[in-house]
mmCIF file with all atom_site columns, all heavy atoms in Angstrom:
data_model
loop_
_atom_site.group_PDB
_atom_site.id
_atom_site.type_symbol
_atom_site.label_atom_id
_atom_site.label_alt_id
_atom_site.label_comp_id
_atom_site.label_asym_id
_atom_site.label_entity_id
_atom_site.label_seq_id
_atom_site.pdbx_PDB_ins_code
_atom_site.Cartn_x
_atom_site.Cartn_y
_atom_site.Cartn_z
_atom_site.occupancy
_atom_site.B_iso_or_equiv
_atom_site.pdbx_formal_charge
_atom_site.auth_seq_id
_atom_site.auth_comp_id
_atom_site.auth_asym_id
_atom_site.auth_atom_id
_atom_site.pdbx_PDB_model_num
ATOM 1  N N   . GLY Q 1 152 ? 84.345 36.503 134.480 1.00 63.00 ? 177 GLY Q N   1
ATOM 2  C CA  . GLY Q 1 152 ? 84.086 35.815 135.732 1.00 63.00 ? 177 GLY Q CA  1
ATOM 3  C C   . GLY Q 1 152 ? 84.738 34.438 135.840 1.00 63.00 ? 177 GLY Q C   1
ATOM 4  O O   . GLY Q 1 152 ? 84.872 33.898 136.920 1.00 63.00 ? 177 GLY Q O   1
ATOM 5  N N   . LEU Q 1 153 ? 85.136 33.845 134.717 1.00 59.00 ? 178 LEU Q N   1
ATOM 6  C CA  . LEU Q 1 153 ? 85.759 32.517 134.786 1.00 59.00 ? 178 LEU Q CA  1
ATOM 7  C C   . LEU Q 1 153 ? 87.080 32.562 135.521 1.00 59.00 ? 178 LEU Q C   1
ATOM 8  O O   . LEU Q 1 153 ? 87.376 31.690 136.328 1.00 59.00 ? 178 LEU Q O   1
ATOM 9  C CB  . LEU Q 1 153 ? 85.966 31.941 133.382 1.00 59.00 ? 178 LEU Q CB  1
ATOM 10 C CG  . LEU Q 1 153 ? 84.735 31.494 132.641 1.00 59.00 ? 178 LEU Q CG  1
ATOM 11 C CD1 . LEU Q 1 153 ? 85.117 30.969 131.251 1.00 59.00 ? 178 LEU Q CD1 1
ATOM 12 C CD2 . LEU Q 1 153 ? 83.986 30.429 133.401 1.00 59.00 ? 178 LEU Q CD2 1
ATOM 13 N N   . LEU Q 1 154 ? 87.882 33.587 135.271 1.00 52.00 ? 179 LEU Q N   1
ATOM 14 C CA  . LEU Q 1 154 ? 89.157 33.705 135.940 1.00 52.00 ? 179 LEU Q CA  1
ATOM 15 C C   . LEU Q 1 154 ? 88.964 33.878 137.438 1.00 52.00 ? 179 LEU Q C   1
ATOM 16 O O   . LEU Q 1 154 ? 89.604 33.227 138.247 1.00 52.00 ? 179 LEU Q O   1
ATOM 17 C CB  . LEU Q 1 154 ? 89.962 34.875 135.367 1.00 52.00 ? 179 LEU Q CB  1
ATOM 18 C CG  . LEU Q 1 154 ? 91.337 35.091 135.964 1.00 52.00 ? 179 LEU Q CG  1
ATOM 19 C CD1 . LEU Q 1 154 ? 92.200 33.825 135.767 1.00 52.00 ? 179 LEU Q CD1 1
ATOM 20 C CD2 . LEU Q 1 154 ? 92.040 36.261 135.337 1.00 52.00 ? 179 LEU Q CD2 1
ATOM 21 N N   . ALA Q 1 155 ? 88.018 34.716 137.818 1.00 50.00 ? 180 ALA Q N   1
ATOM 22 C CA  . ALA Q 1 155 ? 87.739 34.944 139.245 1.00 50.00 ? 180 ALA Q CA  1
ATOM 23 C C   . ALA Q 1 155 ? 87.300 33.653 139.923 1.00 50.00 ? 180 ALA Q C   1
ATOM 24 O O   . ALA Q 1 155 ? 87.747 33.339 141.021 1.00 50.00 ? 180 ALA Q O   1
ATOM 25 C CB  . ALA Q 1 155 ? 86.680 36.025 139.412 1.00 50.00 ? 180 ALA Q CB  1
ATOM 26 N N   . ARG Q 1 156 ? 86.463 32.856 139.254 1.00 50.00 ? 181 ARG Q N   1
ATOM 27 C CA  . ARG Q 1 156 ? 86.003 31.590 139.833 1.00 50.00 ? 181 ARG Q CA  1
ATOM 28 C C   . ARG Q 1 156 ? 87.133 30.588 139.928 1.00 50.00 ? 181 ARG Q C   1
ATOM 29 O O   . ARG Q 1 156 ? 87.195 29.811 140.853 1.00 50.00 ? 181 ARG Q O   1
ATOM 30 C CB  . ARG Q 1 156 ? 84.857 31.019 139.002 1.00 50.00 ? 181 ARG Q CB  1
ATOM 31 C CG  . ARG Q 1 156 ? 83.547 31.717 139.258 1.00 50.00 ? 181 ARG Q CG  1
ATOM 32 C CD  . ARG Q 1 156 ? 82.425 30.920 138.640 1.00 50.00 ? 181 ARG Q CD  1
ATOM 33 N NE  . ARG Q 1 156 ? 82.549 30.963 137.189 1.00 50.00 ? 181 ARG Q NE  1
ATOM 34 C CZ  . ARG Q 1 156 ? 81.681 31.549 136.372 1.00 50.00 ? 181 ARG Q CZ  1
ATOM 35 N NH1 . ARG Q 1 156 ? 80.633 32.131 136.860 1.00 50.00 ? 181 ARG Q NH1 1
ATOM 36 N NH2 . ARG Q 1 156 ? 81.870 31.550 135.090 1.00 50.00 ? 181 ARG Q NH2 1
ATOM 37 N N   . SER Q 1 157 ? 88.049 30.601 138.943 1.00 49.00 ? 182 SER Q N   1
ATOM 38 C CA  . SER Q 1 157 ? 89.140 29.618 138.955 1.00 49.00 ? 182 SER Q CA  1
ATOM 39 C C   . SER Q 1 157 ? 90.185 29.949 140.006 1.00 49.00 ? 182 SER Q C   1
ATOM 40 O O   . SER Q 1 157 ? 90.901 29.070 140.458 1.00 49.00 ? 182 SER Q O   1
ATOM 41 C CB  . SER Q 1 157 ? 89.785 29.512 137.574 1.00 49.00 ? 182 SER Q CB  1
ATOM 42 O OG  . SER Q 1 157 ? 90.455 30.701 137.262 1.00 49.00 ? 182 SER Q OG  1
ATOM 43 N N   . ILE Q 1 158 ? 90.248 31.213 140.445 1.00 48.00 ? 183 ILE Q N   1
ATOM 44 C CA  . ILE Q 1 158 ? 91.221 31.615 141.468 1.00 48.00 ? 183 ILE Q CA  1
ATOM 45 C C   . ILE Q 1 158 ? 90.738 31.205 142.873 1.00 48.00 ? 183 ILE Q C   1
ATOM 46 O O   . ILE Q 1 158 ? 91.541 30.905 143.724 1.00 48.00 ? 183 ILE Q O   1
ATOM 47 C CB  . ILE Q 1 158 ? 91.475 33.139 141.394 1.00 48.00 ? 183 ILE Q CB  1
ATOM 48 C CG1 . ILE Q 1 158 ? 92.188 33.453 140.094 1.00 48.00 ? 183 ILE Q CG1 1
ATOM 49 C CG2 . ILE Q 1 158 ? 92.289 33.636 142.579 1.00 48.00 ? 183 ILE Q CG2 1
ATOM 50 C CD1 . ILE Q 1 158 ? 92.355 34.926 139.823 1.00 48.00 ? 183 ILE Q CD1 1
ATOM 51 N N   . LYS Q 1 159 ? 89.437 31.160 143.065 1.00 48.00 ? 184 LYS Q N   1
ATOM 52 C CA  . LYS Q 1 159 ? 88.876 30.831 144.394 1.00 48.00 ? 184 LYS Q CA  1
ATOM 53 C C   . LYS Q 1 159 ? 89.299 29.486 144.883 1.00 48.00 ? 184 LYS Q C   1
ATOM 54 O O   . LYS Q 1 159 ? 89.565 28.558 144.321 1.00 48.00 ? 184 LYS Q O   1
ATOM 55 C CB  . LYS Q 1 159 ? 87.352 30.906 144.365 1.00 48.00 ? 184 LYS Q CB  1
ATOM 56 C CG  . LYS Q 1 159 ? 86.855 32.326 144.255 1.00 48.00 ? 184 LYS Q CG  1
ATOM 57 C CD  . LYS Q 1 159 ? 85.355 32.327 144.261 1.00 48.00 ? 184 LYS Q CD  1
ATOM 58 C CE  . LYS Q 1 159 ? 84.840 33.751 144.129 1.00 48.00 ? 184 LYS Q CE  1
ATOM 59 N NZ  . LYS Q 1 159 ? 83.413 33.825 144.092 1.00 48.00 ? 184 LYS Q NZ  1
#
Side-chain angles (χ1 to χ4, degrees):
L178 288 179
L179 181 59
R181 283 192 293 245
S182 68
I183 293 173
K184 289 181 181 179

